Amino acid sequence: MSAAGSLLAAVPAAAVLLLTVATRPREIDAVAPLRLAVVRAVLLAGAYAVLVVEVLGASHALTRPAFSVAWLLFLVAAATAAGLRRRRASRLGQPPAAAPVPVPVGAAPLPVGAVLSGGSPDVAAPTAERGEPDPAPTRAGRGPAGLLAAAVDTWRTARPGERLLAGTVAGLVLVELLVALLAEPNNFDSQTYHLPKVEHWVAQGDLDFWPTAIHRQVTIPPGAEYLLLHLRLLTGGDHLHNLVQWAAGVVCLLVAARITAQLGGGRRAQLLTAFVLATTPMVVLQATSTQTDLICAAWVACAATLALDGLRRRTGWGTLLGLGAATGLTAVTKTSGLMAVGPLLVLWGLAQLRLARMDQPAPTGPATVGGGRRSWPVGGLARTVGGSVLILVVAAVVVGPFLARVTAEFGHPLGPPRLRESIPMERHDPASIVVNALRIGHTAFDTPLAPLRRAGADVIISGAEAIGVDPQDRAITFGRELFPEPAWYPDEDRVAFPLAGALAVIGAVIALARPRRIAPERAGSLRAYAVVVLTAALLHTAMIKWQPWGNRLLLYAVVLAVPLAGLWLDALLRNRAGGRRTVATVAAVSVLAASALAGVLALSYGFPRRLVGSGSVFTTSDWDTRFLRRPQWADEFRWAATAVRDSGARRIGLVQQNDNWEYPWWLLLRQPDGGSPDLVALQSVLPERPPTDPSSVDAIVCTGSRAACAKLVPAGWRLEFRDYVGYALPPGRY
């Protein structure tokens, strides 16, 4: 990556920091205002990034100069907005909002006071009634020096346990950043379709679909890849691709802690929430990856925290736009996240109607019947309906262009039948849904205890057969997979989350049954939020087939549910007395220690990026790191690419199957000047996109099946094939 690329890559980050200054809330009673400003900033930047791709793609201008200009203009706009905000604050005699110090969540000493703490200017939720000696919040001194002073003061007054929680979160986040920077992208799906999708856009200069044997390159929502496209064009390579998921992980931690504050949690509860989430192995591993689940979870969490703001106050235009952007970004990234966003928007709408009714004066006088009950105000109802329409319109602006392309190509906004039938449930009778939910739960709560796994699976299989459901039914099972499948190993695509999941389930049960035990002042909001989380989980199990990799699809639900775990753990440590308090404390500390150990082990030994052992990011070469999933393929790709390059071939045909790796060809066959190679597909699963004639290419590269490759090689060409990779050259080129 060049120096110019490094500077350009810093522009989006600088713009987000300036937007955080510009969008800091003016309300003095706003919960965690700094974190709310971060939510607003990332939603603005995310929506802008998507729209830039759509506009420039429609103009056939997906080029580095165009993206550079777009981001420089955005930076200027963000700087102007931040400057205007500071000047306005100065004119009104208010302390100006400070730019947030760019330190990851939980870093000591700043984030304990300035990001996660309940006793800093960033959090309005009082904690004195919970027995925590938090200093009184202050609004003074919001310049950099004032913010730092507040952070230092909060760190000084924090208890040792709180410092340990914050320090652990900070350590994990910083080491994850190191791994994300050192490791080359090596996620399996990224080799197949995430990163090839980006390379096709760069090569074409637009977003038009292309002939391909891998339908997921064009049918799966591309929101995460849009973000990668910005880095690819700004830097010229994939060196910073892992940072998108890392940044999404930081956003998830910040927003989950804010949700905890919104539900009545103080400093310790917020730290507990961040700790449990940060040590969840799936979060740890995906934070250094080019997968898409953390990005989806971040957008869902942003929608959740904005919706919760609407439980106690009427929503303004800015928040409505934010809810629309969060909804659209979720839809364009991973449609499964809408199963949480939908219930959240319903909760928001009901709360807005309730507030409108409460604002209506109760009728009085001798003719009043029924104790002066309020009527539904027409204006309040119209405002809520109008706000709902605005949210949907903004979401449609973000996701609409992609859906329009898919509909035009396949006649359906959800893509071809093979996509609509492979992942979504095809049976929705109660018995099938119950069996699917039990299998998903079994995989999500898997542990290294094999006897426990087998016993649980046997019970589920026997129970399914007893109620007339085949536990391996293709209508409720992805592909040809067979239940059960071990999921305890720290692998980014399948690792289970038994500790975080169990804590969240307990927290949800208590929030539903006894919310006042957790949050006496927010009991209604807490119970409503727990209902939303439960609804999202039920919708997921009713609509998504079981698969061995299903745990990562649940990540958005985990992020939403962990605040319930943080609140419950805080209540457990707060509400016990005498010997019972000692037992509760020991139990809570033991669970947290186990959670910390799981997170550290996942970061140290997780797959396919680890700190120590075979495949360590410190001892493995860049090329071998890319192939840690399939090390036997590394030399085969190089062997074939070398032969094709030496032949002088310019136009190269691709032969592959639906789950084969395409991305290595884009790296190995790149032009000497760094330009994209001319790769064309000799097969196509898109009816309206015919494949290229094999006789029109200069060489052919193949992956997967030798037989499939041989069928497409013209007569007289020489075909060479090893175990997974092969190539073919015409006479005169070998």
Side-chain angles (χ1 to χ4, degrees), residues 402-652:
F402 168 70
L403 294 181
R405 288 194 299 275
V406 172
T407 303
E409 188 75 28
F410 302 105
H412 195 287
L414 297 182
R418 65 184 301 173
L419 177 64
R420 303 198 303 271
E421 296 169 2
S422 61
I423 298 177
M425 288 273 285
E426 298 176 78
R427 291 180 56 179
H428 297 92
D429 55 286
S432 296
I433 293 173
V434 168
V435 172
N436 193 54
L438 291 174
R439 295 183 305 165
I440 290 175
H442 180 274
T443 304
F445 288 86
D446 190 25
T447 69
L449 303 175
L452 180 62
R453 181 189 313 118
R454 287 194 296 268
D458 290 343
V459 169
I460 293 172
I461 292 172
S462 300
E465 294 172 347
I467 60 177
V469 177
D470 178 4
Q472 313 298 350
D473 186 353
R474 296 303 100 189
I476 62 173
T477 305
F478 177 82
R480 301 178 181 178
E481 306 302 325
L482 296 176
F483 173 82
E485 182 73 22
W488 64 269
Y489 185 79
D491 182 298
E492 66 174 353
D493 286 335
R494 67 176 65 197
V495 63
F497 34 82
L499 290 175
L503 292 173
V505 167
I506 295 172
V509 170
I510 297 177
L512 290 170
R514 303 286 296 276
R516 293 190 179 278
R517 293 185 59 181
I518 298 179
E521 297 180 353
R522 299 286 191 274
S525 299
L526 178 60
R527 177 176 283 165
Y529 183 77
V531 169
V532 167
V533 172
L534 178 61
T535 301
L538 293 176
L539 287 173
H540 186 99
T541 56
M543 299 181 70
I544 303 295
K545 293 178 180 178
W546 175 87
Q547 55 180 282
W549 312 278
N551 288 342
R552 65 181 182 83
L553 302 182
L554 278 168
L555 193 53
Y556 73 91
V558 173
V559 172
L560 288 187
V562 164
L564 301 175
L567 289 163
W568 171 71
L569 284 171
D570 181 61
L572 183 69
L573 296 173
R574 185 180 71 239
N575 293 336
R576 301 304 185 195
R580 295 177 65 188
R581 178 183 178 88
T582 302
V583 173
T585 301
V586 171
V589 170
S590 299
V591 171
L592 293 174
S595 183
L597 179 62
V600 171
L601 289 176
L603 188 57
S604 301
Y605 296 97
F607 196 74
R609 291 166 303 281
R610 56 176 50 167
L611 290 174
V612 297
S614 176
S616 166
V617 295
F618 296 114
T619 60
T620 308
S621 69
D622 293 349
W623 186 250
D624 289 337
T625 297
R626 295 180 185 276
F627 285 85
L628 284 175
R629 284 285 187 191
R630 298 291 187 270
Q632 67 274 21
W633 296 348
D635 290 338
E636 291 191 26
F637 271 98
R638 274 183 163 169
W639 160 75
T642 299
V644 170
R645 285 200 312 270
D646 291 346
S647 74
R650 304 286 295 178
R651 196 165 191 245
I652 303 164

Side-chain angles (χ1 to χ4, degrees), residues 15 29 46 78 113 128 234 250 267 278-279 302 351 355 387 412 516 570 587-588 675 694:
D29 60 340
L234 293 176
V250 173
R267 177 169 63 195
T279 55
C302 288
L355 290 172
H412 195 287
R516 293 190 179 278
D570 181 61

Side-chain angles (χ1 to χ4, degrees), residues 336-358:
S336 56
L338 294 177
M339 288 181 284
V341 174
L344 285 165
L345 293 180
V346 170
L347 174 63
W348 167 84
L350 293 174
Q352 291 295 292
L353 290 174
R354 175 177 173 272
L355 290 172
R357 190 177 186 186
M358 291 177 63

